[in-house]
Amino acid sequence: MWRASLETLDFLPLTTVDYSGGVIITDWYSDGNKKESIKITLRFLSNEIRSDSLKIIVHKKICSNDLNCSTSLVSSSVIKDELRSTILRKASLFEKAKKNKK
């Protein structure tokens, strides 16, 4: 799951990558809209490839100007669902490839 997560988030700047603590935290990312950006935190709750083994937290920052920004926790989002699905799919493929090598 770790490798799948890093490959999935490879386009984002990472601020914290702690394998022993089971946490990956990205920096604020904007895809061109300078007034909105997101920050993603992944927490690994288990080494098993299951949807409940991964906690995804997404924060959204909206700025009206350089000094006036508000940050909020995104409770349900397409981003979280897509990330979870992509990571689990990649992790399954990596696991299958690993078993086939043996």
Side-chain angles (χ1 to χ4, degrees):
M1 292 254 295
W2 185 261
R3 180 177 163 202
S5 298
L6 287 174
E7 283 194 14
T8 302
L9 298 174
D10 70 345
F11 68 100
L12 296 170
L14 303 176
T15 58
T16 303
V17 179
D18 184 0
Y19 181 76
S20 63
V23 177
I24 298 173
I25 302 172
T26 71
D27 200 357
W28 290 104
Y29 173 76
S30 175
D31 64 353
N33 181 358
K34 295 182 180 182
K35 295 187 183 268
E36 290 185 14
S37 56
I38 61 168
K39 183 175 190 171
I40 299 170
T41 301
L42 297 180
R43 294 186 186 214
F44 298 89
L45 306 175
S46 166
N47 289 330
E48 297 178 47
I49 302 173
R50 300 181 353 191
S51 63
D52 62 347
S53 296
L54 186 63
K55 182 175 182 179
I56 301 173
I57 303 166
V58 179
H59 288 90
K60 186 174 187 177
K61 179 170 67 172
I62 300 173
C63 300
S64 58
N65 57 38
D66 289 339
L67 300 175
N68 189 13
C69 296
S70 66
T71 304
S72 61
L73 183 65
V74 178
S75 58
S76 68
S77 77
V78 175
I79 295 170
K80 287 166 57 168
D81 295 339
E82 287 181 9
L83 278 173
R84 184 181 317 279
S85 175
T86 302
I87 291 168
L88 291 173
R89 188 173 39 255
K90 281 186 181 189
S92 314
L93 291 172
F94 290 150
E95 187 69 22
K96 187 175 181 180
K98 182 179 169 184
K99 286 182 181 179
N100 288 339
K101 282 186 176 181
K102 291 182 179 180

